[in-house]
Every structure is written in structure tokens, then in C-alpha cells.
């Protein structure tokens, strides 16, 4: 069955979704299955186009971010924001820049860009909720949990797709506050919402890794392990998501088996320029080496982790 716009142009359901995103930007705007995307083609589009920007440029930048190129995306978003046709699209590129800076470990920069992106009174709700989620993530990583909770406010009763980022951020905040039962409930709502919709129209969300982290806190190692193996078997995750899944997977293994898994995680996270998660991997290396009776080597990894966060 086909759907038709008011112009009479026939579209498929997926195309209808994409056309709807042209006027109202959101975190998932113009976003078909990311696993089949070509980063080279995305970069060529961004380099060759000098016209006003819209969904196709947003999509191309997202492809590069997913491919582990946050530094490039952060730079592109400055230009794309300046060339945006509307204030709403400018805010969307500002939010995407905030997300890129989060990946790079630039927490003050990510906080600033997210606050700017969500500041406009006439911004679409989908941009505002995404910006709040990004701002919350930056505050959580800085240990400013009370501010993060105040920014999130009360949870939405029946969130739609635009409410996924704040819902996921709430789960991460609850984990940071050591409330794994509530975090598990939030992440479960994320998983149900993602699976209810056509996932080909969404960026990859590592909801299995989120659930696994909550389950580990609750001592449910086997369930966590199964979810992480599903995540790693999927063709969709980029290097950052694979690195995070591998780091969490190592916590389901016996100490003598963790180091090879953590080494794989570090390789993926270095490829994606992900500082904060890489620092967590190095810290996990240190703790594992302590457990295995190698405290001097463990201290080397602790210093490397601290150096990453201080850079």
C-alpha cells in the first residue's frame, strides 16, 4: 500500500516518514537503517553541497557520527548550523554537535551546545527533548546529578519517538544514582518503544547494553550476557556501541577472561575517538589486573585513564 502527500506524489510508508521530517527536525529526522549507509557517500554529500541544508545533510552527519568520526561531525555541524534554512534546523545541528562533543569527552562544550540548542522558545518539541537529554548526559558525566534531575523534570507518561532520548537519559541518571531497579524500568520502556516502531527509521540505539548494565547491578549476569551477545551480533552497531557492549560484556566474564574482551573494547573506542568510555575500559583493565595480582601494571592503566579524562 502507498501513501500520498498533499501534492499527489506517491510515497512508501518510509518515504512518507522522511518527508514528514523535512519541516520538523528531530533526533531521528530523515534516518533510514544506519547499518546500510555509506560513510564515504555521506562525506561526499557534505563536501559537495553548498546549498541550504536540510534532512539529507543531517542524515549524512549522523552517518559519520555512527562511523566513529565525532571530530569531523563537530566541525561540520558548525557550518551546517550556519547554513540551516530555519532556526529549528539550526538547533538540530547544534544538538548534533553537542552529541559529537559528548563522544569526544568535551563535557563543557557538549553542555553549552545542548543548552543553546534547547533554548529557543519556538523550537519543536522533538529538538527540545533531545537537547535536554544531551544536556542531562553532560551533567551526569560531570557528577552534577541534582542539576541533571532538575533538567529532566517529571517523566512523560506516554512518550513517543521524540521522547526516547530523555527516557534513556533518565535511565542513565538512575544508574548513576545507584537505583538499578528504576533504571531497569526506564531502559525497558526504551526497548519497548524502539521495538514497537520501525527500527529501520531510527539511528541505532544500544538499548540492550543499557539493560545489561542495569541487570549487572542487580546480579543478573546471565541475562546481561545474553543481551550483550545479541547486541554484538547485530549488524547495526558502530565502533562506539560495539566498544561499550564489549566493556559491559567483560563484567559478565571471569577475571582471567576479561582482558582480551577489554582489549577489543579499547580498539573499538579508540577508533571512534570516544574518551570517556575508553577511560572506563582502562579503569576496568586496572581493576581486573588488581584481581589477578598485578597491582603495578594496574596502576599504569589507572594513570592512562586519568590522563584521558584530564586531556
Amino acid at each position: 500500500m502507498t501513501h500520498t502527500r498533499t501534492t499527489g506524489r506517491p510515497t512508501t510508508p518510509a518515504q512518507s516518514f522522511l518527508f514528514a521530517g523535512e519541516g520538523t527536525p528531530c533526533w531521528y529526522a530523515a534516518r533510514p537503517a544506519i547499518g546500510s549507509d555509506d560513510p564515504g557517500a555521506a562525506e561526499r554529500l557534505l563536501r559537495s553541497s553548498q546549498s541550504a541544508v536540510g534532512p539529507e545533510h543531517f542524515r549524512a552527519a549522523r552517518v559519520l557520527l555512527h562511523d566513529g568520526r565525532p571530530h569531523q561531525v563537530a566541525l561540520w555541524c558548525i557550518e551546517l548550523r550556519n547554513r540551516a534554512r530555519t532556526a529549528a534546523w539550526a538547533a538540530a545541528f547544534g544538538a548534533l554537535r553537542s552529541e559529537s562533543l559528548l563522544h569526544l569527552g568535551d563535557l563543557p562544550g557538549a553542555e553549552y551546545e545542548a543548552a543553546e540548542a534547547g533554548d529557543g522558545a519556538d523550537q519543536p518539541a522533538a529538538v527540545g527533548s533531545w537537547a535536554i537529554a544531551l544536556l542531562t548526559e553532560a551533567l551526569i558525566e560531570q557528577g552534577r546529578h541534582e542539576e541533571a534531575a532538575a533538567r529532566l523534570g517529571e517523566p512523560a507518561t506516554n512518550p513517543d519517538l521524540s521522547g526516547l532520548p530523555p527516557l534513556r537519559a533518565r535511565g542513565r541518571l538512575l544508574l548513576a544514582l545507584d537505583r538499578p531497579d528504576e533504571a531497569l524500568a526506564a531502559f525497558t520502556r526504551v526497548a519497548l518503544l524502539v521495538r514497537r516502531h520501525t527500527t529501520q527509521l531510527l539511528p541505532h540505539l544500544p538499548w540492550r547494553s543499557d539493560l545489561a548494565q542495569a541487570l549487572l547491578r542487580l546480579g543478573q549476569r546471565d541475562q546481561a550476557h545474553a543481551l550483550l551477545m545479541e547486541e554484538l551480533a547485530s549488524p547495526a552497531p558502530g565502533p562506539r556501541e560495539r566498544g561499550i557492549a564489549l566493556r559491559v560484556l567483560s563484567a559478565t566474564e571471569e577475571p582471567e577472561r576479561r582482558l582480551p574482551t577489554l582489549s577489543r573494547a579499547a580498539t573499538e573506542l579508540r577508533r571512534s575517538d570516544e574518551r570517556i568510555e575508553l577511560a572506563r575500559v582502562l579503569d576496568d583493565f586496572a581493576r581486573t589486573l588488581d584481581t589477578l595480582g598485578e597491582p603495578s601494571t594496574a596502576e599504569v592503566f589507572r594513570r592512562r585513564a586519568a590522563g584521558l579524562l584530564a586531556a
Side-chain angles (χ1 to χ4, degrees):
M1 178 179 177
T2 60
H3 294 255
T4 305
R5 299 176 72 193
T6 55
T7 59
R9 179 179 180 178
T11 67
T12 65
Q15 287 171 330
S16 178
F17 179 92
L18 300 185
F19 289 138
E22 290 177 6
T24 307
C26 49
W27 68 278
Y28 55 88
R31 198 66 195 90
I34 201 162
S36 62
D37 283 341
D38 179 355
E43 189 167 10
R44 286 192 296 274
L45 184 149
L46 292 172
R47 290 188 181 281
S48 64
S49 175
Q50 298 300 319
S51 60
V53 299
E56 67 278 12
H57 301 85
F58 187 87
R59 176 177 180 268
R62 263 224 176 274
V63 170
L64 294 182
L65 184 60
H66 182 78
D67 193 51
R69 307 187 199 183
H71 183 71
Q72 285 179 257
V73 175
L75 293 175
W76 272 115
C77 282
I78 296 173
E79 179 179 340
L80 295 168
R81 178 172 55 192
N82 291 338
R83 288 163 47 199
R85 292 174 287 198
T86 66
W89 275 108
F93 284 112
L96 190 58
R97 176 170 163 79
S98 172
E99 189 170 330
S100 304
L101 294 175
L102 271 174
H103 290 199
L104 291 166
D106 181 355
L107 298 177
E111 179 185 347
Y112 173 81
E113 294 288 0
E116 287 289 299
D119 194 40
D122 59 346
Q123 298 297 11
V127 174
S129 64
W130 178 31
I132 288 171
L134 292 166
L135 177 57
T136 301
E137 293 274 5
L139 293 171
I140 292 169
E141 294 293 357
Q142 295 175 79
R144 294 157 60 186
H145 299 152
E146 289 186 8
E147 289 179 66
R151 288 287 188 169
L152 277 176
E154 293 299 316
T157 305
N158 295 300
D160 58 11
L161 287 178
S162 67
L164 270 174
L167 184 55
R168 186 168 180 245
R170 185 175 302 279
R172 291 174 63 80
L173 174 61
L174 291 165
L175 267 188
L177 294 171
D178 198 24
R179 292 155 62 181
D181 284 299
E182 294 171 78
L184 182 64
F187 291 145
T188 299
R189 291 180 72 195
V190 170
L192 292 172
L193 192 55
V194 170
R195 298 182 76 170
R196 188 182 306 152
H197 293 271
T198 306
T199 54
Q200 287 185 340
L201 300 176
L202 298 175
H204 178 73
L205 284 179
W207 57 267
R208 295 177 184 86
S209 295
D210 292 338
L211 282 171
Q213 292 184 68
L215 288 167
L216 278 169
R217 296 278 190 94
L218 295 167
Q220 299 181 41
R221 190 167 72 169
D222 290 344
Q223 289 185 48
H225 186 275
L227 281 168
L228 292 162
M229 295 304 290
E230 282 183 30
E231 175 73 9
L232 291 165
S234 167
R240 180 177 187 268
E241 288 73 26
R242 283 194 299 271
I244 292 171
L246 286 163
R247 179 185 69 80
V248 182
L249 179 67
S250 73
T252 72
E253 300 172 329
E254 297 303 319
E256 58 273 11
R257 297 186 58 188
R258 285 178 195 161
L259 295 182
T261 305
L262 288 169
S263 181
R264 290 170 60 200
T267 297
E268 295 287 358
L269 293 168
R270 285 192 182 98
R271 179 189 158 194
S272 62
D273 286 338
E274 169 59 66
R275 284 178 177 264
I276 293 174
E277 289 294 340
L278 179 57
R280 289 189 175 115
V281 168
L282 296 178
D283 194 56
D284 286 351
F285 260 111
R287 287 202 300 270
T288 303
L289 288 165
D290 275 334
T291 302
L292 295 173
E294 300 183 42
S296 59
T297 310
E299 186 57 31
V300 172
F301 280 94
R302 271 195 198 90
R303 287 198 297 269
R304 288 179 183 172
L308 272 175
L309 295 176

